[in-house]
Amino acid sequence: MVTIVKRNKVAVRPGRAKGGQTEIKFKYRARTPEEVRERAQRQIGGRDSYFSADVQFFTPREGDNNVRILPPPPEAEWKHYGVGIVVHYGIGSDQSAYLCAQRMKDEACPLCEERDRATSSGEEELADQLRPSFRTAVYVIDRAQEGKGPLIWNISGGLDKDITKLCLDPASGEVLPVDDPSVGYDLNFTREGQGLKTKYKGIQFARKSSPLADDPEQAQAWLEHIVEHPIDGCLEYYEYDHIEKVFAGQAPAEHGEDA
């Protein structure tokens, strides 16, 4: 025998405002743009990143790209429009990436120490895996999506070298002020392929100089952003013990959704 138990239904009657409209008794809090961006850009999974979570990146699309390189902040002591960074990639089961403390801050780096040990013991594959990569982080404006504002472009060492060569006049030796907000030059290039097969072709600066933006107020807002959020201030360093444990598979990454 099956016994059916009838449950009493409770009717929920919302209040009525004047004019017969339903009055919703709920205090809504709108999300801020910063909260939405942080959630949208949050790392998925357990991978550590060497940039802070609120950073927005520029990723060249397949085909033609047109960007404007932004200058370093006035107070910065950089000798380049970008910041050189040294990174260990593919660390731990989640393939996290960490700034090399030895190359960046002249401090002990567990990954460099492990690489030295692997080299000494003839473990060439492991030593090659732990080899740090040299890159350059640059602020750019993507002309195809200017509404996003300044984006960080994490350029490989080879591509940065090719772009830098174009900043010098081969005849006079003069420097082309490509990152000058008033009379700088846009950069054009074509990206082909993906992953390890990615190639950049037709890299060249515009023939004529131009202002950063037609609207001076817009240009000022972009420049204020890079001053308030300098690239070297967006870098994330992790403790020696944490990196060591992640490499050994004993600790989860810190920036994952589960964490």
Side-chain angles (χ1 to χ4, degrees):
M1 178 183 294
V2 178
T3 302
I4 300 177
V5 179
K6 295 184 178 180
R7 300 182 182 275
N8 295 326
K9 294 183 179 180
V10 179
V12 179
R13 297 183 179 181
R16 292 282 177 177
K18 292 182 179 180
Q21 295 182 345
T22 301
E23 179 184 4
I24 299 176
K25 295 183 178 180
F26 179 85
K27 187 176 182 180
Y28 175 74
R29 186 187 74 84
R31 293 173 296 159
T32 67
E34 291 74 18
E35 290 172 335
V36 174
R37 280 195 293 268
E38 182 178 356
R39 180 73 183 187
Q41 297 160 10
R42 185 173 57 166
Q43 296 290 335
I44 302 299
R47 180 179 299 179
D48 281 337
S49 171
Y50 52 92
F51 276 104
S52 53
D54 59 345
V55 167
Q56 295 190 79
F57 294 97
F58 167 68
T59 301
R61 64 190 64 83
E62 281 201 77
D64 296 336
N65 290 265
N66 180 22
V67 302
R68 179 60 168 263
I69 296 175
L70 296 177
E75 303 299 325
E77 297 180 357
W78 311 346
K79 296 181 180 180
H80 193 40
Y81 44 65
V83 175
I85 55 178
V86 187
V87 187
H88 290 280
Y89 289 102
I91 306 303
S93 60
D94 292 311
Q95 300 292 289
S96 292
Y98 300 98
L99 294 170
C100 178
Q102 179 174 306
R103 302 294 184 96
M104 297 287 292
K105 301 194 298 182
D106 196 25
E107 296 179 1
C109 173
L111 302 174
C112 285
E113 292 174 359
E114 182 61 24
R115 181 168 183 256
D116 290 341
R117 185 206 62 76
T119 301
S120 299
S121 59
E123 300 175 59
E124 296 181 4
E125 184 176 346
L126 177 58
D128 187 62
Q129 174 190 337
L130 293 173
R131 184 191 304 275
S133 175
F134 293 80
R135 308 188 70 83
T136 302
V138 181
Y139 263 127
V140 298
I141 294 296
D142 182 3
R143 292 305 193 190
Q145 44 185 358
E146 292 188 352
K148 289 189 174 183
L151 306 173
I152 289 183
W153 184 13
N154 199 6
I155 311 176
S156 68
L159 180 57
D160 179 48
K161 185 176 181 180
D162 291 341
I163 295 174
T164 302
K165 287 180 179 178
L166 297 175
C167 296
L168 283 173
D169 186 308
S172 65
E174 295 181 353
V175 177
L176 192 68
V178 298
D179 56 341
D180 189 310
S182 300
V183 291
Y185 297 79
D186 284 5
L187 177 68
N188 302 284
F189 61 90
T190 301
R191 174 194 161 192
E192 296 182 356
Q194 296 184 17
L196 297 176
K197 295 183 179 180
T198 299
K199 293 182 179 180
Y200 296 95
K201 297 183 177 181
I203 305 171
Q204 60 181 347
F205 284 101
R207 294 180 179 275
K208 294 183 178 180
S209 64
S210 62
L212 176 58
D214 293 332
D215 181 0
E217 291 186 0
Q218 177 65 85
Q220 183 63 36
W222 289 341
L223 294 171
E224 287 178 359
H225 177 89
I226 66 172
V227 170
E228 295 171 0
H229 305 85
I231 294 175
D232 47 5
C234 297
L235 298 176
E236 288 278 355
Y237 289 92
Y238 292 82
E239 296 293 334
Y240 180 103
D241 290 345
H242 174 75
I243 298 175
E244 187 176 44
K245 289 178 180 178
V246 169
F247 176 74
Q250 298 175 7
E254 293 179 349
H255 279 242
E257 183 164 322
D258 293 340

